[in-house]
Amino acid sequence: MAAASHDSAVGEHASSAPGKATNRTALGRSKALTVKKTTLAKKTVATSAKKTVATPAKKSAAPAKKTAAKKSAATKTAATKAAATKAAATKTAATKTAAKKPATKKPAAKPESHTALVRRARRINRELAEVYSYAHPELDFENPFELLVATVLSAQTTDLRVNQTTPRLFAAYPTPEDLAAAVPEEVEELIRPTGFFRAKTKSIMGLSKALRDDFGGEVPGRIEDLVKLPGVGRKTAFVVLGNAFGVPGITVDTHFGRLVRRWKWTEETDPEKVETAVAALFPKSEWTMLSHRVIFHGRRICHSRKPACGACPIAELCPSYGEGETDPEKAKKLLKYEMGGLPGQRLKPPPDYPGRPAPPLAEG
């Protein structure tokens, strides 16, 4: 019985040993699994932590940059506004200061006395007489009638164009009686190159009839009679009186009026007032030649738009010096007619004329 009990005990012990081994193996496996799970969990947590930490950092970086940019822009804007405010304040202060300080006025130039004006004007005339010793009427004519008609035709055109036109006209109608009896359309065709030919035809035929009917076919030598003729004003009358009859007169054409105003001889613009003002500065004997010299100068040097100041012989006497080209070489290129080496205006100039005759109309 004892032996049987011992055997059973031994058997029982033997049977229990494998069970413990099995339990130990299972426990080891469980622990290993637990460790693996724990390790995996730790890695997962670490990874999540990294993602959690990294993601907000990345996301927060962009807003931070934007915020910094906004702050920088706001700072710049504030600085710009501050600078603008300072500039405005400075301008305002400067304006107030300028307003407080009285403006400094340049001393006004002393007005030229009448005596000084007369002396300067006469000196200009003497200088021009030396430069244009050959000054003359620039219309071709052989008698008072031709000069009268040519002067009427010279309105709104050049003397050159008139001189190129009148030879055919006077060849066809040499006397007032001839022109008075002409066919208007034929006269218009002859004087067409001078412009405004219909109105001019009416004038020259009208004055021819008046000369024929009222003055015996002769041009009168008094201004009172001349200004009664169709198309004849004071300027035309003085041209005829001064150059055909030797009666002194001042011819106020566009050149004459422009120059005497530039020279401050007068501020008047009305031709008759200009005539009166200039006449008071010179003796009567100088009036006709003064007119020629001033007109010559206006046509050759003292032009309307581009006066050749650098080539002007009376520059030191001119209060308007500098309105035109002052460089001598450039000014020389602006000179006209004989002063510029070019033909003059007359086809038949006086013997002492230093330039070349103008070409006929066919060659012009």
Side-chain angles (χ1 to χ4, degrees):
M1 289 295 292
S5 297
H6 176 74
D7 290 338
S8 63
V10 172
E12 184 179 351
H13 176 77
S15 63
S16 64
K20 287 182 178 179
T22 302
N23 288 338
R24 286 177 183 172
T25 301
L27 181 61
R29 290 177 179 173
S30 177
K31 286 181 179 181
L33 183 61
T34 302
V35 170
K36 286 183 179 180
K37 288 182 178 180
T38 302
T39 303
L40 182 61
K42 286 181 179 180
K43 287 182 179 179
T44 303
V45 170
T47 303
S48 299
K50 286 182 180 180
K51 288 182 179 179
T52 304
V53 171
T55 303
K58 289 181 180 178
K59 289 182 178 179
S60 61
K65 288 182 180 179
K66 290 182 179 178
T67 303
K70 287 181 179 179
K71 286 182 179 180
S72 177
T75 303
K76 288 182 180 178
T77 303
T80 304
K81 288 183 178 179
T85 303
K86 286 182 181 180
T90 303
K91 287 183 179 179
T92 303
T95 303
K96 289 182 178 179
T97 303
K100 289 180 181 179
K101 291 182 179 180
T104 304
K105 293 183 179 180
K106 293 183 180 180
K110 187 177 180 181
E112 187 176 37
S113 67
H114 180 72
T115 300
L117 172 60
V118 170
R119 288 175 179 171
R120 183 169 62 85
R122 293 186 180 186
R123 186 179 170 189
I124 287 176
N125 183 41
R126 290 195 298 272
E127 295 286 341
L128 294 180
E130 292 184 9
V131 176
Y132 305 111
S133 58
Y134 52 88
H136 57 270
E138 294 194 88
L139 289 169
D140 286 328
F141 69 98
E142 294 183 1
N143 55 61
F145 173 65
E146 289 187 358
L147 179 58
L148 177 60
V149 171
T151 305
V152 172
L153 293 179
S154 68
Q156 305 298 317
T157 190
T158 63
D159 287 356
L160 171 60
R161 182 60 67 189
V162 173
N163 292 335
Q164 292 173 328
T165 303
T166 52
R168 294 172 60 196
L169 177 68
F170 295 143
Y173 311 106
T175 68
E177 291 82 1
D178 295 326
L179 189 54
V183 177
E185 290 76 15
E186 294 178 359
V187 176
E188 289 176 2
E189 192 60 32
L190 287 173
I191 68 170
R192 183 183 291 270
T194 66
F196 304 97
F197 55 91
R198 291 190 178 88
K200 289 180 179 180
T201 294
K202 185 177 180 181
S203 294
I204 63 175
M205 289 189 67
L207 69 84
S208 296
K209 291 176 181 178
L211 292 176
R212 180 195 63 189
D213 299 340
D214 302 330
F215 297 99
E218 298 292 333
V219 176
R222 298 193 317 155
I223 189 169
E224 296 84 354
D225 296 327
L226 285 170
V227 295
K228 293 178 181 178
L229 300 174
V232 178
R234 289 181 67 84
K235 183 192 82 169
T236 299
F238 280 128
V239 169
V240 174
L241 290 174
N243 297 286
F245 293 98
V247 178
I250 292 178
T251 303
V252 183
D253 69 351
T254 55
H255 302 289
F256 191 95
R258 179 179 72 253
L259 267 61
V260 298
R261 284 188 288 274
R262 277 182 178 169
W263 296 335
K264 307 302 180 186
W265 290 1
T266 180
E267 296 296 330
E268 299 291 349
T269 56
D270 179 76
E272 288 193 32
K273 292 181 179 179
V274 171
E275 176 193 325
T276 301
V278 175
L281 303 176
F282 298 91
K284 194 172 183 178
S285 60
E286 286 291 315
W287 289 356
T288 299
M289 287 310 299
L290 170 70
S291 300
H292 290 321
R293 293 164 190 153
V294 174
I295 293 172
F296 256 60
H297 192 64
R299 287 174 173 170
R300 287 151 177 78
I301 296 178
C302 197
H303 314 306
S304 176
R305 295 184 180 178
K306 291 184 178 181
C309 294
C312 181
I314 57 167
E316 63 177 8
L317 300 172
C318 180
S320 299
Y321 174 80
E323 287 187 7
E325 180 58 63
T326 57
D327 182 83
E329 293 303 317
K330 292 180 180 179
K332 285 181 181 179
K333 296 178 182 180
L334 300 175
L335 302 180
K336 295 183 179 180
Y337 300 113
E338 76 281 352
M339 298 294 287
L342 304 171
Q345 296 202 79
R346 295 188 66 169
L347 277 65
K348 299 177 181 180
D352 62 343
Y353 180 67
R356 291 178 287 159
L361 186 60
E363 300 176 22

